[in-house]
Amino acid sequence: MPDNRSSSSHGVTALFSQGRLTTIPRKAARREQLLEHLADTLFQLDRTYTEREVNDALLTVHEDCAALRRYLVIGGLLARTKDGVTYRRIERPAA
């Protein structure tokens, strides 16, 4: 059975130019692929991040870090504490 993560990660590279994300996809399925790629490449599972650290990591790929951060939380890839001070990477179960 093929690994969907590796095949979708390959397709995500088309969204980047010179290491920068050119656009945040509007289609939910494509955006989810992008978000999984960002979570996998920018955030470690066993680490807590401040909002500033999350923003700084996301700014390395796109200027709208607030939108990407919000999508990651809504998509269940990052968990945010109620006070919004810290974030943790969440691993989704394999489909």
Side-chain angles (χ1 to χ4, degrees):
M1 179 184 273
D3 182 1
N4 288 339
R5 281 192 178 189
S6 62
S7 63
S8 65
S9 291
H10 177 68
V12 167
T13 58
L15 299 171
F16 289 84
S17 175
Q18 298 179 2
R20 300 281 298 166
L21 180 62
T22 58
T23 186
I24 299 172
R26 291 178 186 243
K27 291 187 177 184
R30 189 74 166 138
R31 187 171 54 239
E32 186 175 331
Q33 290 176 342
L34 168 67
L35 296 172
E36 287 179 8
H37 171 77
L38 293 176
D40 288 343
T41 57
L42 297 176
F43 304 103
Q44 298 172 13
L45 285 169
D46 58 347
R47 180 157 180 247
T48 299
Y49 295 88
T50 64
E51 184 173 344
R52 174 70 179 236
E53 290 173 317
V54 172
N55 289 345
D56 288 347
L58 294 171
L59 283 169
T60 66
V61 294
H62 196 270
E63 64 276 357
D64 195 351
C65 64
L68 289 173
R69 186 183 68 241
R70 185 172 48 251
Y71 286 136
L72 285 163
V73 171
I74 291 169
L77 295 163
L78 283 182
R80 176 177 51 207
T81 55
K82 287 185 182 186
D83 60 7
V85 174
T86 60
Y87 294 76
R88 288 192 64 84
R89 168 81 168 92
I90 299 171
E91 184 171 21
R92 290 173 143 180

